[in-house]
Amino acid sequence: MAASSYIEACSEHRIVRTATDQGVGASPSWSPPMQDVVKVNVDANWRKGVGCCHIGFVLRDFSSRYLALRRRQIVASNALVAEAKGVLEGCVMAKQRGFSNIVVESDSKEIISWLNGCIDQGNWEVFPTLWEIRRGGEDFSSCVWSWIPRSTNRAADYVASHARAEMCNLVWVQRPLSSFVCALNK
């Protein structure tokens, strides 16, 4: 399966479908950003009563090329705090890698809504993280906060939710894990 996914990803005849060319009822798929822009897809896997969770984020460029991914265990009191910390960590990673134009995509409507609007109208537990995200966003030449459906955020969801021994708290830059290739292709 890993070999098939690799061959498909490397195929010169691979067709990338965007939301505009999909038929009615088709599920949306991830679309690459414009040239010189990096997309940072983030997600959190929070479970009530556990106290800790995992966040995951994936950085890709205009050619859909994978630039880095990370999975990290954090402490979060609720799902919104976890999602906000995921956005913050994704921005930090993009800044550390030297990118200046980013689009941050998350399937958390509340977090993206607050970042695009008035953060002081958000949840009081999330406010400090939202403030830190906004402040960090000023370090980029261009920083856009974008909501996407969960079905479009599969790669980040996979990174956050798959607790396997090979998915430790490291950053993968050179090549993705074989278990991740299939999710990245989708």
Side-chain angles (χ1 to χ4, degrees), residues 68-154:
L69 72 94
R70 183 171 189 190
R71 179 176 190 264
R72 183 167 176 233
Q73 186 172 343
I74 62 166
V75 174
S77 58
N78 61 50
L80 285 174
V81 171
E83 293 284 351
K85 286 184 176 185
V87 171
L88 178 61
E89 291 288 330
C91 291
V92 168
M93 172 60 74
K95 182 179 176 184
Q96 288 173 344
R97 308 230 40 94
F99 301 119
S100 58
N101 301 305
I102 65 169
V103 173
V104 178
E105 293 185 331
S106 170
D107 57 23
S108 174
K109 279 187 180 180
E110 294 90 348
I111 298 300
I112 297 302
S113 175
W114 290 328
L115 287 170
N116 282 322
C118 189
I119 64 172
D120 59 355
Q121 292 179 358
N123 180 304
W124 67 271
E125 290 179 286
V126 181
F127 177 79
T129 307
L130 292 174
W131 185 83
E132 203 172 337
I133 294 167
R134 274 271 190 86
R135 190 179 59 163
E138 295 171 0
D139 294 339
F140 297 98
S141 298
S142 169
C143 183
V144 175
W145 317 110
S146 178
W147 176 82
I148 57 172
R150 180 172 299 230
S151 61
T152 307
N153 205 25
R154 283 184 248 165

Side-chain angles (χ1 to χ4, degrees), residues 32-64:
M34 296 182 346
Q35 193 164 353
D36 299 324
V37 176
V38 170
K39 271 198 179 176
V40 181
N41 288 85
V42 300
D43 202 10
N45 180 21
W46 184 85
R47 285 177 278 147
K48 187 175 183 173
V50 176
C52 64
C53 67
H54 288 93
I55 55 173
F57 48 92
V58 179
L59 281 66
R60 290 181 278 187
D61 67 8
F62 68 95
S63 64
S64 302

